[in-house]
Structure formats: C-alpha cells, structure tokens
Amino acid sequence: MLRSQYIACSLVFLLLSTSVNGERHCESSPQTELLVKGGVFAATLGVTYVAAPIVLGAIGFGPLGVIGGSIAALFQSYIGNVAGNSLFALLTSLGATGVNLKSASSIATWAATSGISEEVEMLLGLSCFEV
C-alpha cells in the first residue's frame, strides 16, 4: 500500500511539474526554499533522534559500552586499543549516553543547508514553473 501511494504521489508531482505549452524556468522562490529546507531539517532531526539509538544498539554500541558478540565487538577486536578521538570512540560514547538533541539538530542543520534541499526541490519539481 505504501509503495503504491509513493508512486501515485510521484506521478502527481511529475504531472504538475511538466510544462504543456510554455518554457520551463527552474528557480526556487524564497518561500519554496524555506519550506523545503524546513522539511529536510524536520525529517532529518526526527530520523536522527529516533533511529540513531536503535541503529547504534543494533550494531552493538549499548548503554554500558560495546556489547559482547556484536558487530561493534568484532570491529574492536580488529582495532585493538581505540584512540580517544576516533569514530569508534564517538559511536561508543553515543551508544552509552544517547544521541542528544544538540547533536541531532547539528546533523539536521547540515542536511538542510547542504545541497540536499536543492535536490529535494528538483526531485519534487517544486522549483520549476512555466513562463
């Protein structure tokens, strides 16, 4: 059901963004740009804040450190002594302390201000209009 709804929405956006008798001009309005960036920020914030603890726990970064027999434990066995400023140390810390709102909002801000928002606009056809 979800897949068919996604396809239907994609077709509607495709039809709405297709020019019939005019030239297409692709330029983002400030309102559309703000709306898309806000949407990307909100979606990224939600996914990061909710999914990150689940993913970290699933690969073996738990509240008490690395979980024995997990993927994280396997990587740690290959690494040996873990450097304090390494990605593995960061993931261990996030697994133990959780992903806070500040970290999640930093990731969401990056996503909203990078080229991701422009790609979403183009994908949805929101930045093109007839002239």
Side-chain angles (χ1 to χ4, degrees):
M1 180 79 177
L2 185 61
R3 184 175 178 173
S4 62
Q5 289 173 341
Y6 174 77
I7 293 170
C9 287
S10 297
L11 289 174
V12 168
F13 280 119
L14 181 63
L15 291 172
L16 291 175
S17 66
T18 303
S19 172
V20 177
N21 288 326
E23 293 181 20
R24 286 179 57 132
H25 180 69
C26 294
E27 183 178 309
S28 179
S29 71
Q31 295 86 2
T32 301
E33 188 174 331
L34 182 62
L35 180 66
V36 171
K37 286 185 178 190
V40 169
F41 177 84
T44 307
L45 180 66
V47 168
T48 303
Y49 197 67
V50 173
I54 296 168
V55 171
L56 287 170
I59 60 176
F61 295 102
L64 299 176
V66 177
I67 300 169
S70 66
I71 295 171
L74 177 67
F75 280 119
Q76 188 175 21
S77 70
Y78 288 119
I79 294 171
N81 291 333
V82 177
N85 61 351
S86 66
L87 176 61
F88 192 89
L90 173 66
L91 294 175
T92 303
S93 176
L94 288 174
T97 61
V99 176
N100 61 25
L101 195 56
K102 184 178 178 183
S103 300
S105 64
S106 296
I107 295 168
T109 301
W110 169 81
T113 57
S114 68
I116 295 172
S117 296
E118 289 80 10
E119 292 299 323
V120 169
E121 276 186 59
M122 293 301 288
L123 178 68
L124 298 178
L126 296 175
S127 60
C128 296
F129 52 90
E130 289 191 40
V131 290

